[in-house]
């Protein structure tokens, strides 16, 4: 008489938690496997929350570089800040230039700042 999957499931459903835990350990030892979940790159769930595509980005200057004047001009063009405020933003690093913007705007701002000589992160 052959044992079916249903028979196995019925047997397992009658086990206590302790008995089931021991059974799992025996499976791991016998077959050289682990019952631990495996994280897969790109499909991993972090912190128990579903991975969502990020829609808001921050543009942060981490280094103004050697051409600080050009970076100040770029900051003014991107933010509408006055000269004094733009200068302070390029000196007090890291400095967030844009907050909560879409990906396209963040990439455009990053390109403009890098072209001016700054080192920029988009988070």
């Amino acid at each position: 008489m052959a044992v079916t999957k249903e028979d196995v499931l019925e047997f397992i459903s009658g086990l206590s938690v302790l008995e089931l835990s021991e059974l799992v350990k025996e499976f791991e030892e016998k077959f050289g496997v682990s019952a631990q979940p495996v994280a897969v790159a790109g499909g991993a769930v972090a912190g128990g929350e579903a991975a969502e595509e990020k829609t808001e980005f921050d543009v942060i200057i981490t280094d103004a570089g050697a051409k600080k004047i050009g970076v100040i001009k770029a900051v003014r063009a991107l933010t509408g800040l006055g000269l004094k405020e733009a200068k302070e933003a390029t000196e007090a690093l890291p400095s967030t230039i844009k907050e909560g913007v879409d990906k396209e705007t963040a990439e455009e701002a990053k390109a403009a700042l890098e072209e001016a000589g700054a080192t920029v992160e988009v988070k």
Side-chain angles (χ1 to χ4, degrees):
M1 174 170 119
V3 177
T4 65
K5 285 189 235 179
E6 289 79 23
D7 293 336
V8 173
L9 289 174
E10 186 63 36
F11 173 76
I12 290 174
S13 67
L15 296 176
S16 70
V17 174
L18 181 59
E19 292 171 325
L20 184 59
S21 174
E22 291 171 354
L23 181 64
V24 169
K25 286 179 186 175
E26 289 177 25
F27 272 113
E28 289 176 338
E29 290 173 8
K30 179 168 178 106
F31 298 108
V33 295
S34 172
Q36 297 298 320
V38 178
V40 178
V45 176
E49 297 177 11
E52 295 180 18
E53 185 175 336
K54 192 170 180 178
T55 58
E56 292 184 350
F57 298 87
D58 296 338
V59 180
I60 304 166
I61 296 178
T62 57
D63 184 24
K67 301 177 183 178
K68 193 182 284 186
I69 294 173
V71 175
I72 293 170
K73 288 180 180 179
V75 169
R76 288 188 69 200
L78 290 168
T79 62
L81 292 174
L83 181 60
K84 180 180 177 190
E85 293 83 9
K87 183 176 185 270
E88 290 172 354
T90 58
E91 292 175 345
L93 300 175
S95 179
T96 303
I97 302 303
K98 293 271 192 183
E99 284 185 280
V101 296
D102 61 54
K103 187 173 185 174
E104 183 179 328
T105 303
E107 291 299 325
E108 289 171 0
K110 179 181 179 185
L113 290 165
E114 286 179 341
E115 185 176 318
T119 303
V120 182
E121 288 182 3
V122 174
K123 292 187 178 182

